Every structure is written in C-alpha cells, then in structure tokens.
Amino acid sequence: MIAATDFIPSAYSQTIDKGQFQWSAPSNIALVKYWGKKGNQLPANPSVSFTLNNCKTITKLAFAKKINTGDFSFDLLFEGKPKEDFKPKIQKFLERIEIYLPFLKDYHFTIDTENTFPHSSGIASSASGMAALAMNFMNLERTLNPEMTEEYFYQKASFLARLGSGSACRSVKGEVVVWGNHANIQGSSDLFGVPFPGAIHYNFKNFQDTILLVDKGEKQVSSTVGHDLMHNHPFAERRFTQAHENLDQLITIFENGDLDQFIKIVESEALTLHAMMMTSIPYFILMKPNTLQIINAIWKFRNETQIPVCFTLDAGANVHVLYPNKVKEKVLQFIQDELVGYCQNAQYLCDEIGVGSVQH
Ligand code: PMV
C-alpha cells in the first residue's frame, strides 16, 4: 500500500531556473458524498464522482529561481488582476505540501488563474482550482525528476490537490473517480483519487450534468465547518458505513447500467448529506424553497415520462440535474420550460462527464 511518505522525494537529478506551465482542471460532482474527515485531510468514508468537463479552472504558473530566505514567495492573479484575498488559502496550501515539494521556497511563483464558470455563481472553485495548481507544481517536479512515472505523476498530483481541498483530489483524472479506501475497489486509497477501475456501462457515457443556480450567495457553512460537524454527530458512524454500502451497489450499477437503481442511490446520497447538516449541532438547512420546488418538479416529470433524470446536491442550494446523453434534448426542454424559473436570474450551466486535467 502507498503511504504519504512515498511522496517525499529524494534529491532531484535536474535543475531549472525559470519557466512556466499552464494546466486546466475541472470541477467534479460526487455521487457518493465525502462528508466528514479525519487526520490530515483524510476522508471518513469513500466517495465517488463524475469528473466534469466545462466548469473548470485554468491556471498558469510562472516560476523564477530566487535565494531561499525561508519564506514562500508568490503573486496571485485572478483573471489577470491581483487578488489578495485568495492568498491566505494558497499560503496554507503551500505550507501543507512543502514537505512533498521541497523546492517550493527556491522559487518566486506567479499564479495566474481564471474560471470558465461565472465568478460567485455558487459553484465551488476550490476543487478545480486546487487540482489545476497541483498539476502545475507536479509539472515542475517532473522537470526536476524526468524519471518519474506517469502513475506517480497523477497520483501525487491528486495527493497534493487533496491537501488543498479534499474533493479536489477527484478532479485530476476522469471520468469516474473514487477517493477513499473501499474493500471492493482495487487501488482505492484515502490518500488520492483513482479512476474507477471497474466496467462502466454505455448508459453513463457522456452523462449530462446541468447545474441550476438557485442561490449564488456566499456559502452558509464552509466545508471545513461542515466536515467538523461530523465529529460527535449522532449518526456519523452509520452514515460512514452507508457510504461504503452505497459505493458497493454503484460498482454493480456502473457495470449493468441500471439507471433506476442509480437514481435511488444518487438522490438518497444527496438527501443524506443534507440530513447530516440538519441533524448536527449547530444545525443548518442549506436548501432553499426553490431547491425543493426543483426536486418535486423532477420527480413529477420522471413519474410522468419515465425519463431517467435525477438530482444531486452539494453543500448548498444549487441543484445538479443528472441524466444520460440520449435524453438530453427532452431534459433540456423540461429545464427550459419548468425549472429555469426557480433559478436566480434564470441561470444554469450545462456540463457533462469529462476526462480531468489537461495541459495547455
Ligand atoms: O472538498 P471539500 O472539503 O470542499 O468538501 C466537499 C464536500 C461535498 O462537495 C459536499 C461532497 C463531495 O464529496 O464533493
């Protein structure tokens, strides 16, 4: 089994004075949710997600050698302009990954980042952002150590991204990614995300995710606070076991393409995540009235048409509408006709399953 210490490098064979890389990484949507952590950013239960394609962060990393004065040195640009309020998060990330990338204090970095989705749309950019940055740092490490294998490159990128934001470790690769030890998924690890190694039925090919923007406001509960609420939560242990069970069922569903069973697991996972928040101390309701309107409209439409469309939620009010590619036209029409009115400023984002990070 791979241990965190395996990602501490020995001396590098190459040197480089300056240069730049550019990588994009997408967001991802969890089917079995990660909610609750232990130790150093390790998940309390395994999760699985679809990697997205259109909602992504594009990050350019320029680096120039400097004298190591014992501090990190970096400028942060968001859409070309300095963004001071993002810096503390990056500083913390650098502190966490320094032992795995011992060259970080030998360079001045310029991190230039942008998202393809609207700023403050309520879509978390931490997963795509941390994954894109981790890819760039790994590109630099691979330059210093060209002997590194492709597998190590991606595993370590995911490992580093996890230290920035847990779910970011599922944004490095596509299309279906598992993070967290699961007895029946070979190669699964708490340390990094891995592409789901089993068979995936044609029904899930080009699977669609239309994200309905119900509430674009600031998150009511940060995910850090949310994960903490699972400590001493009355239902935590049962919930963690349930995640293992649901993932077990998904292994079979991915293989046989049973969309009815898929829907049951995915919707139950979304509501369970919210149930955990409603039953913690302090407690929160993160859904808005329009979230419930949308859920009811989806259930009614599904009942009436037998079209296999379902929803999932993250830790907020926005709704991800999930459906197979073959019913795309009908579902988009339904969204236009019946759901857009529940979105803030009629806004929604069309996305689909994707392959993960890409170098530009
Ligand atoms: O990566 P974090 O710490 O922001 O946690 C994300 C948690 C959920 O989005 C609610 C679920 C998940 O598995 O992505």
Side-chain angles (χ1 to χ4, degrees):
M1 220 165 64
I2 299 171
T5 46
D6 293 331
F7 293 119
I8 299 174
S10 38
Y12 296 122
S13 62
Q14 305 295 311
T15 58
I16 183 167
D17 283 342
K18 61 180 183 170
Q20 70 174 42
F21 304 115
Q22 188 174 8
W23 282 81
S24 68
S27 188
N28 69 76
I29 181 67
L31 306 171
V32 171
K33 307 290 180 181
Y34 149 59
W35 199 243
K37 56 179 152 185
K38 57 188 185 188
N40 191 15
Q41 286 274 104
L42 299 170
N45 64 261
S47 58
V48 66
S49 54
F50 284 156
T51 305
L52 296 181
N53 192 51
N54 304 332
C55 291
K56 55 189 180 194
T57 300
I58 304 161
T59 300
K60 194 156 59 185
L61 180 76
F63 53 93
K65 201 110 193 213
K66 66 162 185 77
I67 293 167
N68 183 340
T69 50
D71 290 317
F72 298 114
S73 170
F74 66 98
D75 294 314
L76 186 83
L77 306 177
F78 180 67
E79 294 175 345
K81 296 192 197 86
K83 185 89 176 156
E84 290 302 312
D85 40 332
F86 282 5
K87 284 186 90 172
K89 213 171 170 185
I90 305 291
Q91 172 78 25
K92 201 164 157 200
F93 179 51
L94 296 175
E95 285 164 13
R96 281 190 190 166
I97 64 176
E98 191 195 356
I99 69 160
Y100 305 106
L101 298 176
F103 56 78
L104 287 176
K105 286 180 176 159
D106 297 334
Y107 291 93
H108 175 76
F109 295 105
T110 306
I111 303 165
D112 192 346
T113 188
E114 62 184 300
N115 296 329
T116 58
F117 44 96
H119 184 47
S120 71
S121 60
I123 301 293
S125 56
S126 56
S128 53
M130 288 300 173
L133 190 52
M135 294 312 298
N136 278 302
F137 282 134
M138 280 311 293
N139 206 152
L140 178 50
E141 182 170 63
R142 186 166 62 182
T143 309
L144 301 172
N145 172 23
E147 295 83 33
M148 165 188 306
T149 65
E150 187 86 348
E151 190 180 35
Y152 181 90
F153 176 74
Y154 281 104
Q155 280 182 351
K156 184 165 172 181
S158 176
F159 171 87
L160 296 175
R162 187 197 99 235
L163 294 169
S165 170
S167 61
C169 77
R170 298 187 313 238
S171 277
V172 161
K173 282 268 196 175
E175 296 181 345
V176 181
V177 176
V178 174
W179 169 38
N181 275 321
H182 187 279
N184 297 327
I185 301 177
Q186 230 197 342
S188 59
S189 171
D190 283 352
L191 297 176
F192 46 80
V194 294
F196 176 72
I200 297 181
H201 191 277
Y202 186 76
N203 280 349
F204 299 106
K205 197 153 180 60
N206 300 325
F207 217 75
Q208 302 290 306
D209 179 6
T210 303
I211 307 161
L212 307 180
L213 306 180
V214 172
D215 182 27
K216 303 192 293 174
E218 276 287 300
K219 276 200 191 176
Q220 241 191 81
V221 186
S222 74
S223 48
T224 311
V225 170
H227 292 295
D228 266 354
L229 293 175
M230 290 303 277
H231 291 300
N232 303 318
H233 190 291
F235 308 129
E237 282 317 310
R238 184 64 193 95
R239 158 60 197 156
F240 299 146
T241 306
Q242 179 199 40
H244 284 265
E245 295 161 359
N246 283 344
L247 193 42
D248 228 348
Q249 290 200 51
L250 275 181
I251 298 173
T252 313
I253 293 166
F254 284 142
E255 186 169 3
N256 67 18
D258 187 334
L259 292 171
D260 291 342
Q261 292 305 317
F262 176 80
I263 288 170
K264 279 189 187 142
I265 301 278
V266 168
E267 290 190 343
S268 164
E269 274 287 324
L271 295 178
T272 300
L273 170 69
H274 282 253
M276 289 299 114
M277 286 180 255
M278 289 195 238
T279 50
S280 58
I281 303 287
Y283 42 80
F284 296 94
I285 300 180
L286 302 184
M287 288 188 241
K288 297 283 182 200
N290 281 351
T291 311
L292 286 175
Q293 297 282 18
I294 290 168
I295 292 174
N296 280 309
I298 290 173
W299 284 348
K300 185 163 177 278
F301 176 77
R302 191 166 76 219
N303 256 325
E304 286 169 1
T305 61
Q306 304 303 311
I307 290 173
V309 52
C310 68
F311 71 86
T312 189
L313 308 165
D314 271 342
N318 295 333
V319 181
H320 289 249
V321 185
L322 299 176
Y323 49 97
N325 192 38
K326 67 174 185 218
V327 295
K328 183 173 172 178
E329 246 171 68
K330 286 192 182 121
V331 175
L332 283 175
Q333 191 63 52
F334 158 64
I335 290 171
Q336 272 296 334
D337 294 346
E338 293 186 46
L339 302 185
V340 163
Y342 299 123
C343 300
Q344 229 177 35
N345 306 323
Q347 270 190 300
Y348 63 95
L349 305 167
C350 290
D351 214 328
E352 60 185 351
I353 203 165
V355 295
S357 60
V358 173
Q359 185 173 15
H360 293 260

